[in-house]
Amino acid sequence: MALLSQWRGSKVELKNNKGDGGRRNNHWNANNLPAGARSIVEADRDASSWRQKLQAMEKILCFDDPGWADVDALGYASVYLFWVGVGAVACVEDGTHYRPNHHAGCAMRIYESLEAVERLASDGGGRRAEEVRALIRRLHPRLPAFTAEFMQSVPLTRIRDIAHGKGDRDGKCREVRQEIKHTIQNKLHRCAGPEDLVATEAMLAKLTAPGSDYPEEFVEEFRIFHRELKDFFNASTVTDRLDRLLVEGGGGVGDVAEACRGFMRAKTTVDGIGHDNGGSADVVLLAALEGALSALCDARRAIDNAVRHGELSSAAPDQRQQWRLAEIGLEDYAFVLLSRGINALGAESDPPRAVLTGVETRAALRFLAAASAATALSAGGGGAEEFAAVAREAGDLAIAGSDGMPPSGDEGALRVRAVAERARRAAEDYCSLLSELFDGRAAALGGALGINEGTVDVFTEGQIRASVVFQSTKLASHLLRAARTATGEAGWDCLVPGEVTGAQLKCVARLDPSDPAIAGACAINPVVLLVTSADGDEEVSTLGPGVAGILLCHALPHLSHLALRARQARVPLVAIEDPALVQLAQSLQASPSGVRLSAQPSNVTLEAAAKEAGGGGGGSPAPAAFAAAPAAFAAAALFADVSRAGKVVPLGELGALSWDSAVAVAGSKASACSRLSAIAEDAAADFRAPPGAVLPFGSMEAAAVSAGVDRHLFSLLDALEAASSSGKGAAEETARVCGELQDLVATLRPSPQALAAFSAQFSCGRGADKVKVMVRSSGNAEDLAGLSAAGLYDSIANVDVCQPDSLGAAVAEVWASLYTPRAVGSRAAAGVGQRRAAMAVLVQAMLVPEVSFVLNTRHPLTGDANVAYAELALGHGETLASGAVRGTPWRLSMDRTVPGKATVNSFSSFAAALVPDLNGDGLLRHIPPPCTSPSLSHSSTLSSTQRKRRCVRLVGCNHHSRYPPLSLILSCNHPSRCSQAPPLRCARAKLRKGGLRGGLALRSETVNCASHWLTVDAKRRSELAGRLVEAGGLIEQ
């Protein structure tokens, strides 16, 4: 608890008389405080002594219902008790005489309450579990011990014997004994507080100071008392605590005892190795640290399991507290071991080392695995799952190459990079959680109690920097540095090439057109935006001509909606993946002549512009390869054939129409899917297309007529046309009209006959279980030259087609997405009228792909027509399209002239996969990546012919426009049907402007992400690349 190195209270003076009871330097201002903070401030005002403060905390922390414990109360209490422990909140005598057993009893009741709260929160999981565990693990060490020796009526009697002369045979210590009596003994026995431990440490320092001549027997007695007092304040070292517990427990804790002894042996080995041996001794040190961290993690897991579910779960509360504190102490000691390892790897040198040997890389990965495993045990909730996944991946990768070493070469470096990216992101997310828990609470409580501003300001940073998760960020950053050095990367990722010179750099939180930095930009005074975060919903065209370039402070898929929009708008887009480069960019805000940004696939440069460049600038023209398609394509696509309005058209029937007729009825998206369904009906086809049907153009307007609101709808459309064409000044009016339109359209419903037709299409009412579908937008103002509208309109996932209310509401939601301010602004920027925009609704069976992909048939950065480019991710394709899930995908560059020849540009570092929520309509939920290893990569008993059949198959269709939509199927035989002709499971895809989006449905078994076949199986990747290139070739037929 309170140690001299952390003490923030008044200086403790050693006195030979009673003196006064101390002074409280705090003040108490409970005005305008949240309830949790106010209750603590008011309680502290009336509680001068440590005992009174603990009793006040008992009232706050002993919840009537542990399942409904107040996180706010836990948060403020953890901050408050920390400050009490270090003297920032003063404890003084209260004029009463209560021995330390009263403090111990209070602590026992608080501990049992916290234990119940933590258990119930952990059982519930989720964000609450993470918050509760983070707070309670910081509360436990702030409580005194309540073991039997401290619960007796007269505890800590050794200090009385010392004050009375024990060990001072010749009477040399008479003066110092008076100081001990008045400063420590009497004070401790009438009104104990953290200041007594500080006074004891000060006295021990005096007794053992160089040149002192106190009797050794007397000094030794005081040392023993010092250890006893540290035990009471729970300030013992982890080794002292474990030694005591192992002696007291004997052989009664089985596996726990053996695991703890294993750690003690490993620690002794590390302690015996010098810090500065250099050369080969470093290898010995790294190996010893690896062993000690592994043993430490084993001991923590053993203790945690025993306390939660094993032999210690039924032990007395005082024993559970001591073992829990031992486990927390082991986590703290992991910080020490990791610090030594980080220093040995050169991560803290100036400058940090950028090249690691194979042995050092293995050690760094194992250290990262240990740090992640340590945090996983502490975190709870989803954070625990993610840290556990990182620990597995890092541990597996450390020995995934030859001879038990990490993989070598560029692919090895890319795999290290993927694991390190995921680890750093997890650590940063957890640090953000700690910041959210403590920043506001520390500021509010500190100000109300009159705590020194410096103490308040560093509180959260101190909590983070003293934690193992902070070591994770150091290790991940060090591995990233080494991986980038090995691959020649620099921490920049060019998504859209281009050059900007002379534009001012402005920092914004998001790409919001209403942000003053964006709204005030113009072509004469352009800006380059440094954007903190993007989720893929942003529209580049609505930012205006003043935005000349975008720097995004996190990774983003190259083929995401946002990247596609920036590419179409010819706005250079760069993702910054190194925090040091973000700081560099921020430092350029003050450049009077603006900045120069050069973004190329092979190199990105950001620097202050030369003085003569100030005041001008802008993005360079896009390469010829990215030139827009003919304007006639856009004009033709804005036609809508409403002759089938209100009628449900099966995809097979739509596919029987000519391409232009089908597009006019239901848009290019539905038409491409209908063409695929038509091909699937061919007897020679060896695949199944997902069933589906479409509600054509004009159906929304027909629903408005049926509801008697058609005049109101059309008048609002007229108002929208007028407002959206009036420029930025009419933004508020446009938003108002959009809101009215969306509210109106959301009330519309397809006819009962149409809803029944959809249900019949999916066999509802014929013994089928719930049938979930994807309700998709298919507009006439998307997939156009000059207006891709990628991700602009809503598609509703996981809808029960057998429930008319759910299906009707989902259709209305898709219709209403035609009139979001973002969609309206995008059409206006492209010169597309609002009255001519129409929306059809495509309904298809909901599939659950294990692997989703986006494919461009020419390289999106270089424009090379001989290189196809694909990005892949686990789960639903929204991960790739929206960019809302942080991380990088698998990236493949494929030589179209040499089928199967592919280069891996990155391995996936995504931490979550999107899957349908089977218990809800219209929902996708995040889960840790299933990291499945499809059966096609594991069976060694299949013939080469069978293996070929089990590889991915692609089937597409094309039409005569320059950018043909292409529907795509990827499928894999079920193992039991390997020798039979399909039917096969399948997933759907679509082409966007020379690119494909699709999914791969495969039987799987769960393995570590580092072992996924897309990562480890080069042969299968080559086969996949060949099939993707084969599909791309269909586009140009």
Side-chain angles (χ1 to χ4, degrees):
M1 181 182 286
L3 300 173
L4 285 175
S5 61
Q6 296 178 297
W7 188 248
R8 296 292 182 271
S10 300
K11 182 180 179 180
V12 174
E13 298 180 4
L14 301 176
K15 301 176 181 178
N16 57 13
N17 56 73
K18 178 180 178 181
D20 59 31
R23 292 185 299 275
R24 304 176 72 187
N25 298 319
N26 301 100
H27 68 244
W28 303 271
N29 181 2
N31 294 334
N32 302 317
L33 283 180
R38 185 172 62 252
S39 63
I40 289 178
V41 172
E42 292 173 347
D44 184 77
R45 180 187 58 208
D46 302 326
S48 55
S49 68
W50 189 44
R51 174 187 60 82
Q52 290 176 329
K53 295 179 192 299
L54 286 173
Q55 289 173 340
M57 288 299 98
E58 181 181 349
K59 294 177 181 178
I60 291 173
L61 295 176
C62 290
F63 302 98
D64 294 333
D65 183 353
W68 291 95
D70 185 3
V71 172
D72 221 26
L74 293 172
Y76 284 114
S78 65
V79 177
Y80 174 73
L81 285 178
F82 177 87
W83 281 336
V84 169
V86 299
V89 173
C91 296
V92 300
E93 295 193 52
D94 58 16
T96 62
H97 288 70
Y98 285 91
R99 296 189 183 275
N101 60 318
H102 293 275
H103 307 65
C106 182
M108 182 179 70
R109 293 184 288 275
I110 294 174
Y111 174 82
E112 291 186 291
S113 174
L114 294 179
E115 195 177 43
V117 170
E118 183 179 3
R119 181 176 60 252
L120 291 172
S122 296
D123 291 344
R127 175 80 172 191
R128 176 178 169 81
E130 293 185 70
E131 294 176 340
V132 167
R133 283 176 67 84
L135 294 171
I136 287 180
R137 289 180 67 82
R138 286 162 173 77
L139 281 166
H140 282 321
R142 311 299 165 210
L143 301 176
F146 47 88
T147 47
E149 65 266 34
F150 304 124
M151 292 289 282
Q152 59 186 346
S153 59
V154 187
L156 297 167
T157 57
R158 186 183 302 275
I159 191 64
R160 179 189 60 194
D161 297 337
I162 293 172
H164 289 172
K166 185 176 182 180
D168 183 22
R169 294 185 179 182
D170 300 324
K172 290 184 177 180
C173 306
R174 192 172 288 110
E175 181 180 343
V176 79
R177 282 163 40 205
Q178 285 298 306
E179 292 179 347
I180 290 173
K181 177 180 178 180
H182 292 291
T183 309
I184 300 174
Q185 178 211 339
N186 292 345
K187 165 69 170 61
L188 183 64
H189 284 168
R190 66 174 175 260
C191 195
E195 63 277 7
D196 299 329
L197 180 56
V198 178
T200 301
E201 293 190 346
M203 176 58 70
L204 183 60
K206 178 177 180 177
L207 294 176
T208 58
S212 59
D213 188 27
Y214 298 105
E216 181 58 33
E217 184 180 354
F218 181 81
V219 175
E220 181 58 27
E221 283 294 326
F222 196 85
R223 283 196 182 98
I224 294 172
F225 166 72
H226 178 235
R227 288 197 295 270
E228 291 174 346
L229 193 62
K230 285 202 298 182
D231 290 344
F232 173 63
F233 282 101
N234 279 322
S236 303
T237 66
V238 66
T239 50
D240 286 346
R241 192 185 304 277
L242 286 175
D243 280 337
R244 187 179 70 253
L245 286 169
L246 291 174
V247 170
E248 292 174 356
V253 287
D255 293 341
V256 173
E258 183 54 37
C260 291
R261 291 190 183 100
F263 161 71
M264 302 286 271
R265 291 191 295 269
K267 178 181 181 297
T268 300
T269 300
V270 171
D271 292 343
I273 302 174
H275 286 262
D276 301 313
N277 292 329
S280 61
D282 288 342
V283 177
V284 175
L285 174 60
L286 293 176
L289 288 169
E290 290 175 24
L293 285 165
S294 177
L296 183 149
C297 289
D298 289 344
R300 285 190 66 213
R301 280 189 289 265
I303 294 172
D304 184 70
N305 184 65
V307 171
R308 287 175 179 273
H309 313 293
E311 58 266 39
L312 292 172
S313 62
S314 57
D318 64 311
Q319 289 301 297
R320 297 201 304 273
Q321 184 205 35
Q322 290 304 304
W323 279 109
R324 176 56 69 195
L325 289 172
E327 181 268 309
I328 293 173
L330 283 169
E331 181 183 15
D332 293 339
Y333 195 75
F335 181 94
V336 176
L337 293 174
L338 289 166
S339 293
R340 192 169 178 187
I342 288 169
N343 287 329
L345 292 170
E348 300 282 76
S349 59
D350 188 17
R353 286 173 51 196
V355 177
L356 297 178
T357 66
V359 170
E360 290 169 335
T361 302
R362 181 181 63 184
L365 286 167
R366 285 180 165 172
F367 293 163
L368 181 61
S372 300
T375 310
L377 188 61
S378 308
E385 295 176 356
E386 176 58 11
F387 280 111
V390 170
R392 287 192 299 271
E393 289 200 349
D396 288 348
L397 186 58
I399 56 173
S402 59
D403 301 324
M405 300 292 286
S408 59
D410 283 354
E411 283 201 9
L414 289 173
R415 290 176 65 180
V416 169
R417 173 189 164 182
V419 171
E421 279 182 351
R422 184 174 180 182
R424 189 175 69 179
R425 197 166 54 247
E428 289 173 345
D429 288 346
Y430 194 71
C431 289
S432 295
L433 179 142
L434 295 179
S435 295
E436 291 173 12
L437 287 176
F438 293 125
D439 268 347
R441 293 185 175 104
L445 194 59
L449 291 173
I451 305 293
N452 176 275
E453 286 187 9
T455 299
V456 174
D457 291 342
V458 302
F459 178 82
T460 301
E461 183 180 2
Q463 294 297 307
I464 293 172
R465 285 182 169 270
S467 65
V468 170
V469 74
F470 187 67
Q471 304 291 53
S472 292
T473 62
K474 289 184 179 181
L475 286 163
S477 296
H478 195 45
L479 283 165
L480 279 170
R481 186 184 303 114
R484 286 173 179 151
T485 299
T487 59
E489 298 172 307
W492 309 94
D493 186 16
C494 174
L495 282 79
V496 180
E499 299 212 9
V500 180
T501 301
Q504 292 294 315
L505 190 142
K506 300 289 186 180
C507 295
V508 296
R510 305 188 71 84
L511 286 173
D512 180 359
S514 65
D515 188 293
I518 298 175
C522 61
I524 299 176
N525 296 302
V527 297
V528 170
L529 299 176
L530 181 64
V531 186
T532 301
S533 178
D535 58 18
D537 282 339
E538 298 82 1
E539 187 63 35
V540 177
S541 64
T542 60
L543 300 177
V547 175
I550 299 172
L551 304 172
L552 184 61
C553 296
H554 59 76
L556 186 75
H558 291 178
L559 305 181
S560 62
H561 290 152
L562 179 58
L564 176 58
R565 294 167 191 157
R567 201 166 290 128
Q568 192 166 47
R570 306 186 205 181
V571 175
L573 172 62
V574 174
I576 308 179
E577 300 175 348
D578 186 340
L581 294 178
V582 173
Q583 294 176 1
L584 169 66
Q586 291 170 338
S587 71
L588 294 174
Q589 291 182 84
S591 173
S593 54
V595 298
R596 175 180 173 271
L597 170 64
S598 175
Q600 301 301 329
S602 58
N603 183 53
V604 174
T605 302
L606 179 68
E607 59 190 2
K611 289 185 178 180
E612 59 269 18
S620 65
F626 303 113
F633 182 66
L638 288 179
F639 174 73
D641 178 355
V642 298
S643 61
R644 292 175 172 78
K647 301 177 181 178
V648 173
V649 180
L651 287 180
E653 180 181 330
L654 186 67
L657 302 175
S658 69
W659 175 261
D660 289 340
S661 297
V663 169
V665 167
S668 60
K669 183 189 298 183
S671 300
C673 292
S674 72
R675 185 64 56 90
L676 179 63
S677 292
I679 296 174
E681 295 297 324
D682 192 304
D686 64 347
F687 63 91
R688 265 190 335 218
V694 65
L695 197 59
F697 293 141
S699 298
M700 179 188 72
E701 291 80 357
V705 171
S706 297
V709 295
D710 49 315
R711 290 187 178 181
H712 185 32
L713 173 67
F714 296 136
S715 68
L716 287 174
L717 286 174
D718 289 337
L720 183 64
E721 190 79 79
S724 63
S725 60
S726 300
K728 288 186 177 181
E732 290 187 5
E733 176 63 12
T734 299
R736 183 193 68 78
V737 178
C738 284
E740 286 194 41
L741 265 170
Q742 287 185 280
D743 290 344
L744 174 64
V745 173
T747 65
L748 304 179
R749 293 295 183 270
S751 68
Q753 294 82 3
L755 294 173
F758 274 127
S759 296
Q761 183 73 23
F762 294 95
S763 303
C764 291
R766 283 180 270 177
D769 295 330
K770 285 185 177 181
V771 179
K772 296 299 182 73
V773 295
M774 177 74 83
V775 181
R776 310 175 69 191
S777 59
S778 183
N780 68 345
E782 58 180 334
D783 295 326
L784 309 178
L787 180 60
S788 71
L792 197 61
Y793 306 114
D794 290 345
S795 291
I796 314 303
N798 207 32
V799 178
D800 187 350
V801 73
C802 301
Q803 296 294 325
D805 290 344
S806 298
L807 180 60
V811 169
E813 191 171 345
V814 172
W815 283 338
S817 70
L818 191 62
Y819 302 117
T820 64
R822 189 165 61 91
V824 169
S826 180
R827 292 194 296 270
V832 174
Q834 307 301 330
R835 282 295 298 263
R836 299 175 68 186
M839 179 65 71
V841 178
L842 169 64
V843 178
Q844 287 185 287
M846 186 76 195
L847 299 175
V848 187
E850 289 178 11
V851 179
S852 297
F853 71 92
V854 180
L855 171 69
N856 266 35
T857 54
R858 65 172 64 206
H859 199 287
L861 303 181
T862 66
D864 189 341
N866 290 323
V867 178
Y869 189 79
E871 292 186 322
L872 306 96
L874 300 179
H876 197 281
E878 187 70 7
T879 299
L880 294 168
S882 74
V885 180
R886 294 290 177 262
T888 55
W890 283 284
R891 291 180 176 134
L892 296 177
S893 294
M894 295 155 286
D895 189 337
R896 298 183 62 187
T897 65
V898 184
K901 182 180 180 181
T903 300
V904 179
N905 302 114
S906 72
F907 290 99
S908 177
S909 69
F910 285 125
L914 280 171
V915 299
D917 186 343
L918 299 180
N919 296 318
D921 283 340
L923 297 175
L924 294 174
R925 60 190 178 93
H926 287 87
I927 62 168
C931 306
T932 50
S933 184
S935 57
L936 64 85
S937 66
H938 279 291
S939 175
S940 60
T941 61
L942 299 176
S943 69
S944 60
T945 300
Q946 290 171 331
R947 284 181 179 274
K948 185 174 180 180
R949 285 178 180 170
R950 298 178 75 198
C951 291
V952 175
R953 290 180 174 83
L954 310 174
V955 177
C957 58
N958 64 300
H959 71 94
H960 300 296
S961 79
R962 178 173 178 180
Y963 294 108
L966 180 73
S967 293
L968 177 72
I969 237 180
L970 294 95
S971 61
C972 175
N973 287 0
H974 190 282
S976 65
R977 298 174 180 166
C978 287
S979 60
Q980 303 173 11
L984 308 174
R985 293 185 63 198
C986 60
R988 59 175 170 265
K990 58 176 290 187
L991 171 74
R992 280 190 190 276
K993 306 302 285 181
L996 312 176
R997 289 183 56 193
L1000 168 66
L1002 298 168
R1003 189 182 69 84
S1004 64
E1005 56 188 21
T1006 300
V1007 297
N1008 293 343
C1009 286
S1011 300
H1012 192 280
W1013 66 275
L1014 278 171
T1015 297
V1016 302
D1017 197 330
K1019 181 180 179 181
R1020 296 291 175 255
R1021 281 202 308 270
S1022 177
E1023 291 174 347
L1024 174 60
R1027 299 296 181 175
L1028 291 175
V1029 169
E1030 178 185 335
L1034 294 174
I1035 299 174
E1036 298 176 348
Q1037 289 180 0

